[in-house]
Amino acid sequence: MAEKKTYPEQYTEQVFNGKVALDVRDSQPDWAPYSPPLAPDDAPNVLFILYDDTGLASWSPFGGRIDMPAAQKLADRGLLYSQWHTTALCSPTRSTVLTGRNHHLNGFAAIAEATNGFPGQHGRLPDQCATVSQILQDAGWSTFWVGKNHNVPEQDNAPGGYRATWPLQQGFDRFYGFLGGETNQWYPDLVEDNHFIDQPYTPAEGYHLSKDLADQALRMIRDNKASNPSKPWYMWFCPGANHAPHHCPQDYIDKYKGKFDDGYEAYREWVLPRMIDKGVLPEGTQLTPINPMPDDQALAGDYVKPWDSLSDDEKKLFARMAEVWAGFSEYTDAQIGRIIDYLEESGQLDNTLVFYAADNGASGEGSPNGSVNENKFFNGFPDTLEENMKLIDKLGGPDAYNHFPTGWAVAFSAPFKMFKRYSEYSGGTCDPLIVSWPKGMQARGEIRHQYHHSTDIVPTILDVCGLEMPDTYRGVQQYPLSGVSMRYSFDADADGPTQKQRQYFAMLGSRGIWEDGWRAGAVHAPLSGRGHFDQDRWELYHVAEDRSESTDLAETYPDKLEHLKQVWMDEARKNLVLPLDDRPAVEILSGIERPSSEAPQDRYIYYPDTTAVPEGVAVNLRGRSYKILANVEVGENTSGVIFAHGSRFGGHSLFIKDKKLYYVYNFLGIPPEQKLVSSEELTPGQYTLGVAFNRETAGQYGESHGIAQLYIDDKMVAEGPMRTQTGKFTLCGDGLCVGRDSADAVASEYTPETQGEFTGGTIQFVEVSVEQQQYRDLEQEMAAAMAVD
C-alpha cells in the first residue's frame, strides 16, 4: 500500500509544476498556482443599471413622458427590448439577475421580508445557485455592487447578522448601498462593504441618495482604472428610484409642473400611439381597462378611481405626485449620466456592455388615494385626502414619504392590465430594457421584439465574457441556468424568433405562463387572502399578436389553455414554486415567526454607542403592552434621546428636553404627535426613567389602543391615551438606537442633523420588556382559515 501523504505534499503535487530541492539555487519556481486569475485580453466591462418599480410606458426612449437623456444616449447606441419580462416584484427579480435561475430556485418567492420555511421561499441564495459576480470574480473581473440589495433575509440585516448572503460573500469586491427593500432617499440606511455607516452629509448640505450612489460608483471605477487599468469590471448599479419613498430635488419636480394635469387615463390614451410610433408596440395594440379584475377578485386597495370622478383637490394632489415621481426618475438618470459620461471620456464606454432596466411594473402600493406615507400600506391603514393635501407642497422632500395612487401605476404600465405584484398580466412583468455595447454589436437605435426574461441576463453576460456557469461550483452541484443568452438578438432581425421556449410566473398568489407566443394567467389578485387556487379561472392571450392582452381566447382555444395550465404546473414542480401564498401584506410581513440566531424574549437590554438595531431583529412591540426603562445619570444640562426607534413616518422616542422627560409615539406620521411630557423637571442625579404602554383594545385597522404612562423612578409624571402601529415602522432602516436617533428624527423636538444626541449625562442601559402574548386579530385569522378550507 502506498504511503499516505500529508496535506501539504498532496497540495504541492497537485498544483506546483516547479522543482523543490534542498537548496533554492537548485530549485525551479512556478508562479502559476499562486497568481490571481486574469480576464482575457480585451474583455468587456459590464454595467447593469436596475431601476425599481417602473412600467414600460414611463420613459421617453419607449414613448413615455419622463425625459431620460442618459437612457436615450444608450438606446441610440444600442437596442430597446419591447418584450423583456421580470417576476413582478423586487427581490425575486434581483435574485434572477444575480444567478440566472428562476426566483423560486433562488429561494425568493417574494421579497426578503416575506420569507417562509419552504424550499422556494426561504430567502437565502442556495449554494446550488452561484452568482454571476462569483464567476466573474474568479475569472479576473473586479466586481462592484452599488445601491439597493434586497436579497439579504431580514433577520440577517443586522450588525451581528449572518453575513453569508451579504454582497461581499456573494462574489462582490465592494458594496455601497442599502440591504433592505427601500430607504429614505434623504436619510438612507447605509452599508459600506460589510458594515453599517451613517450618511456622509445631510440634505441641507445637498445630500440625496441617487447622487451619493453615483459618486461612489465613479470612485470605485476610477480606483480600478488607476491601480489596475487593464482589469475589466462588473458593476450592478441599483438606485432607490423609482421605489417609494418618491424623493427628489425641487428643481426636477418643477420641470414637470402641469405635465400630468390631464390625468392618468388621458396619459394612457396619449402614450399608446407614441409607443406604437416608436415601434415599441405593434399597430393595432389596444388599451386595456383600468380596473380589469372581476368583482370577486378585485382588491379595494388596488382600485383605480376614474379621473373624471375625482374632486379638484384630488386631481391637484394626484398630478403633483406624478410630477414628483417623474422628477425622481429623471434626476436619477442624470446621476447615471455622470457615470456614462465618465466612461466615454475615459475611453471605456465602447467596450462596456450596459444594461438599463427596471425590476417590475410601476407600483400600486400607494392605494387609490395616493399616500404621503407609504408605510401606511404595510400597516393596512388608509390615507385621507385631508391629511395628504396638507403636505402637497412638501411632496418629494424630507417631510413626506410619498407614493402616487394606483391610477398612475396603471398609466405608467400601459397598455397592459394592472401593475407590480400581478404576475398573471404583463402590467406587472413587462419592463424597460436597453442594451448597449458599441464594440460588440452593430445595431444602433434599433428595437428587438424577441421575448426574454430577467433570468436571461446572466447567460448573456457570461456569453459576452466568454465564460460558462460551471456544473459544480466550490464542490456543490449547480442548478442549471433557467435563462438563455440574448446575445444572438444583438444583430438579429427585430422580429426574428426568440430562443426562449417558455417562462412561468408566480407572485403572491398570482400566476401565469408564457410559451411560444401565448400567455395564460389565473385571475387571482395577489395578497388577496382568498385562497381556493384550484378554483381559479384562467385567461388566454395570443401575445404574439395581442401584445396588451386585450382579448381573452380561453373559450376559443380551450385545448391550448389546458396545455398551458399543465405546463405551468410542470414548471411549478420543477422550480419549487409551491405552495402558493396570497395572504395579505400585514400577515405575511408581520405574522410569520422567522428563525433567528436570537430567540424572541420578553426582556431586551440595549446600550449606547452602538449601531442602530434594524427592526427585523429588534424588540417587537407590535400588538403588545410594553415598558421602556432606562438607568440614566442626569446632569445640570442633560438633553437628548435616551431611546428611539423609527422616524417621523412611524416610530417612538424617549428623550429629555429643557430638563423635562418626553415620550413621543409618532403613529404613521399622522399629526398631531402623541406626546407625554413630565409634569416636573429633572434635577441632577441618578434616575430610572421610562414609559409603560398598556394595550386595551384593537382599532378598526388592527392598531392597538391603550394608555401610556411616563415615569421618573416609581412616580408617574404624565399619562394619556395612545395608539400604536400594528405593522412595522418602515420596510427598512431607521433602527433602534440608544443615545441618539439615527437617520430621520421621530420627534419634531429635535432635528435629524443633530440626531438628538444625548449630552450632559450618562445612559447606562435601556431595558425594554414586552408581554409574551402578542395581540392577534382573530377575525382576520378566521377569514384566512375560511378562505383556504
Side-chain angles (χ1 to χ4, degrees):
M1 179 180 294
E3 180 182 357
K4 186 176 181 180
K5 297 182 178 178
T6 63
Y7 173 76
E9 289 175 329
Q10 289 179 319
Y11 180 77
T12 302
E13 272 193 354
Q14 290 172 1
V15 300
F16 181 71
N17 293 314
K19 177 185 175 183
V20 176
L22 178 64
D23 190 324
V24 70
R25 284 170 285 270
D26 299 323
S27 303
Q28 180 67 42
D30 175 19
W31 280 105
Y34 316 115
S35 299
L38 294 175
D41 291 340
D42 207 28
N45 305 311
V46 180
L47 173 61
F48 195 104
I49 301 158
L50 189 63
Y51 267 70
D52 218 321
D53 293 0
T54 305
L56 193 66
S58 307
W59 293 341
S60 52
F62 293 83
R65 200 171 282 175
I66 302 173
D67 191 22
M68 303 287 283
Q72 186 64 61
K73 182 175 184 177
L74 293 170
D76 291 342
R77 300 183 179 197
L79 298 167
L80 293 180
Y81 283 81
S82 68
Q83 293 195 82
W84 186 71
H85 288 256
T86 62
T87 70
L89 204 63
C90 306
S91 301
T93 294
R94 291 163 192 272
S95 79
T96 66
V97 177
L98 265 174
T99 76
R101 282 84 168 189
N102 283 316
H103 56 299
H104 291 89
L105 291 178
N106 294 325
F108 279 93
I111 58 175
E113 296 82 2
T115 57
N116 209 342
F118 296 102
Q121 304 179 26
H122 49 79
R124 285 190 170 91
L125 291 175
D127 292 339
Q128 296 93 331
C129 296
T131 65
V132 66
S133 49
Q134 288 171 327
I135 305 306
L136 289 171
Q137 186 183 59
D138 289 353
W141 272 255
S142 294
T143 52
F144 311 122
W145 189 341
V146 179
K148 176 173 174 173
N149 176 287
H150 213 193
N151 287 113
V152 171
E154 183 184 35
Q155 57 270 37
D156 296 348
N157 184 356
Y162 181 63
R163 279 173 163 73
T165 57
W166 284 40
L168 265 61
Q169 285 67 251
Q170 292 293 325
F172 287 91
D173 300 330
R174 296 294 315 279
F175 174 75
Y176 186 95
F178 57 102
L179 295 180
E182 67 181 38
T183 195
N184 191 315
Q185 302 293 296
W186 301 112
Y187 298 102
D189 189 52
L190 289 175
V191 168
E192 184 173 27
D193 297 330
N194 261 345
H195 62 280
F196 290 88
I197 62 169
D198 288 332
Q199 67 190 83
Y201 52 101
T202 68
E205 299 168 308
Y207 186 88
H208 187 281
L209 181 59
S210 294
K211 179 177 182 293
D212 187 17
L213 295 179
D215 289 343
Q216 298 296 331
L218 285 166
R219 184 170 295 116
M220 290 180 190
I221 297 172
R222 284 173 173 148
D223 285 351
N224 190 83
K225 185 72 172 174
S227 65
N228 295 76
S230 63
K231 188 177 184 181
W233 49 264
Y234 163 68
M235 175 174 284
W236 197 10
F237 185 87
C238 305
N242 285 318
H243 198 290
H246 303 157
H247 284 156
C248 177
Q250 189 63 45
D251 55 337
Y252 274 81
I253 298 172
D254 293 343
K255 292 180 69 172
Y256 289 91
K257 186 173 179 58
K259 291 192 176 182
F260 298 99
D261 288 353
D262 51 350
Y264 33 72
E265 287 160 286
Y267 181 88
R268 297 179 87 226
E269 297 282 352
W270 173 86
V271 77
L272 177 58
R274 288 178 56 84
M275 297 173 80
I276 292 173
D277 288 346
K278 281 184 170 286
V280 174
L281 295 172
E283 289 283 351
T285 300
Q286 301 295 310
L287 278 179
T288 53
I290 59 172
N291 288 303
M293 300 298 288
D295 292 343
D296 63 342
Q297 280 294 328
L299 297 178
D302 288 345
Y303 176 73
V304 175
K305 291 182 174 181
W307 190 261
D308 61 10
S309 73
L310 302 180
S311 68
D312 289 344
D313 277 350
E314 285 176 313
K315 290 178 180 178
K316 182 179 179 182
L317 176 68
F318 292 4
R320 178 66 58 82
M321 288 177 162
E323 293 166 11
V324 172
W325 192 75
F328 187 21
S329 191
E330 185 183 345
Y331 174 73
T332 302
D333 179 82
Q335 307 314 307
I336 294 167
R338 293 166 51 213
I339 301 173
I340 301 302
D341 289 347
Y342 165 71
L343 294 179
E344 187 170 29
E345 292 163 4
S346 60
Q348 298 181 72
L349 187 59
D350 275 358
N351 198 26
T352 299
L353 174 65
V354 184
F355 299 86
Y356 200 121
D359 67 356
N360 47 246
S363 172
E365 284 146 20
S367 83
N369 300 314
S371 180
V372 297
N373 183 1
E374 185 224 13
N375 292 316
K376 292 180 181 179
F377 172 84
F378 300 112
N379 277 263
F381 204 89
D383 282 270
T384 68
L385 179 62
E386 181 183 9
E387 291 169 3
N388 291 353
M389 286 299 296
K390 292 176 183 177
L391 288 174
I392 188 169
D393 293 326
K394 302 285 189 179
L395 296 179
D399 292 325
Y401 207 90
N402 44 289
H403 192 304
F404 58 37
T406 49
W408 290 116
V410 169
F412 292 124
S413 300
F416 310 113
K417 300 175 184 176
M418 303 312 293
F419 35 72
K420 174 183 176 181
R421 292 181 278 119
Y422 285 80
S423 69
E424 67 263 55
Y425 298 124
S426 289
T429 69
C430 190
D431 301 303
L433 173 66
I434 297 168
V435 181
S436 174
W437 182 29
K439 187 171 183 177
M441 62 171 64
Q442 297 178 4
R444 298 290 186 274
E446 298 180 16
I447 295 177
R448 295 291 181 266
H449 300 295
Q450 287 83 4
Y451 191 100
H452 279 288
H453 186 263
S454 55
T455 53
D456 301 331
I457 297 300
V458 169
T460 305
I461 293 172
L462 294 179
D463 188 1
V464 166
C465 293
L467 303 172
E468 294 182 353
M469 183 64 68
D471 295 331
T472 302
Y473 186 72
R474 296 180 182 175
V476 178
Q477 187 74 26
Q478 295 292 290
Y479 291 145
L481 291 174
S482 304
V484 301
S485 173
M486 301 166 59
R487 187 177 183 180
Y488 75 92
S489 67
F490 290 177
D491 294 309
D493 292 337
D495 295 303
T498 180
Q499 292 186 7
K500 190 82 170 174
Q501 293 183 339
R502 68 185 59 84
Q503 180 61 50
Y504 82 87
F505 298 90
M507 188 55 60
L508 302 171
S510 68
R511 51 190 165 142
I513 183 74
W514 175 90
E515 183 183 62
D516 193 25
W518 292 82
R519 181 166 178 148
V523 183
H524 195 115
L527 303 175
S528 65
R530 294 191 171 102
H532 298 301
F533 298 104
D534 58 328
Q535 299 176 21
D536 284 347
R537 179 177 65 83
W538 286 67
E539 295 175 344
L540 176 68
Y541 299 99
H542 192 195
V543 291
E545 297 180 0
D546 176 19
R547 190 76 64 80
S548 64
E549 300 158 9
S550 63
T551 304
D552 179 14
L553 300 175
E555 293 185 5
T556 306
Y557 300 103
D559 292 343
K560 171 65 76 173
L561 178 58
E562 288 304 313
H563 165 73
L564 289 175
K565 288 166 65 175
Q566 184 59 52
V567 171
W568 184 90
M569 185 58 72
D570 293 342
E571 292 293 298
R573 292 192 177 105
K574 183 170 65 175
N575 288 280
L576 310 178
V577 174
L578 303 177
L580 300 178
D581 190 350
D582 68 349
R583 289 174 294 172
V586 171
E587 189 174 345
I588 292 178
L589 295 177
S590 303
I592 298 175
E593 286 291 340
R594 297 178 175 91
S596 173
S597 57
E598 302 295 327
Q601 306 167 41
D602 54 13
R603 179 174 174 268
Y604 294 77
I605 303 295
Y606 297 104
Y607 296 93
D609 196 26
T610 59
T611 301
V613 181
E615 189 163 5
V617 296
V619 56
N620 178 4
L621 305 180
R622 298 184 293 275
R624 290 182 165 105
S625 297
Y626 58 86
K627 294 179 181 178
I628 302 170
L629 300 174
N631 280 6
V632 180
E633 183 179 344
V634 174
E636 189 64 41
N637 296 301
T638 299
S639 66
V641 171
I642 299 169
F643 169 97
H645 190 187
S647 73
R648 78 182 79 190
F649 306 111
H652 58 147
S653 178
L654 181 70
F655 59 95
I656 297 172
K657 182 179 181 181
D658 298 330
K659 300 186 178 182
K660 290 194 174 184
L661 182 64
Y662 284 68
Y663 178 67
V664 168
Y665 193 106
N666 199 325
F667 183 86
L668 290 168
I670 300 172
E673 288 179 339
Q674 301 178 105
K675 183 188 308 181
L676 297 179
V677 184
S678 64
S679 56
E680 58 188 59
E681 291 187 353
L682 290 162
T683 57
Q686 190 80 30
Y687 296 95
T688 298
L689 307 175
V691 63
F693 173 72
N694 297 299
R695 185 188 178 281
E696 295 177 343
T697 61
Q700 181 181 359
Y701 303 103
E703 74 278 13
S704 293
H705 289 256
I707 300 296
Q709 299 170 325
L710 195 63
Y711 285 89
I712 298 178
D713 291 329
D714 57 358
K715 182 179 180 180
M716 187 177 68
V717 293
E719 180 181 37
M722 192 162 287
R723 59 179 176 172
T724 64
Q725 295 179 200
T726 186
K728 296 178 180 178
F729 293 133
T730 182
L731 196 62
C732 173
D734 292 300
L736 185 156
C737 296
V738 172
R740 66 185 182 115
D741 185 350
S742 67
D744 199 9
V746 171
S748 59
E749 285 76 11
Y750 53 88
T751 66
E753 285 73 23
T754 66
Q755 295 193 338
E757 183 181 2
F758 188 84
T759 60
T762 303
I763 303 169
Q764 293 179 329
F765 63 87
V766 175
E767 175 185 310
V768 185
S769 58
V770 295
E771 63 178 358
Q772 291 187 346
Q773 184 61 41
Q774 184 178 19
Y775 165 71
R776 303 173 72 182
D777 190 331
L778 297 180
E779 288 189 7
Q780 183 185 67
E781 292 189 9
M782 181 61 73
M786 293 291 287
V788 297
D789 72 9

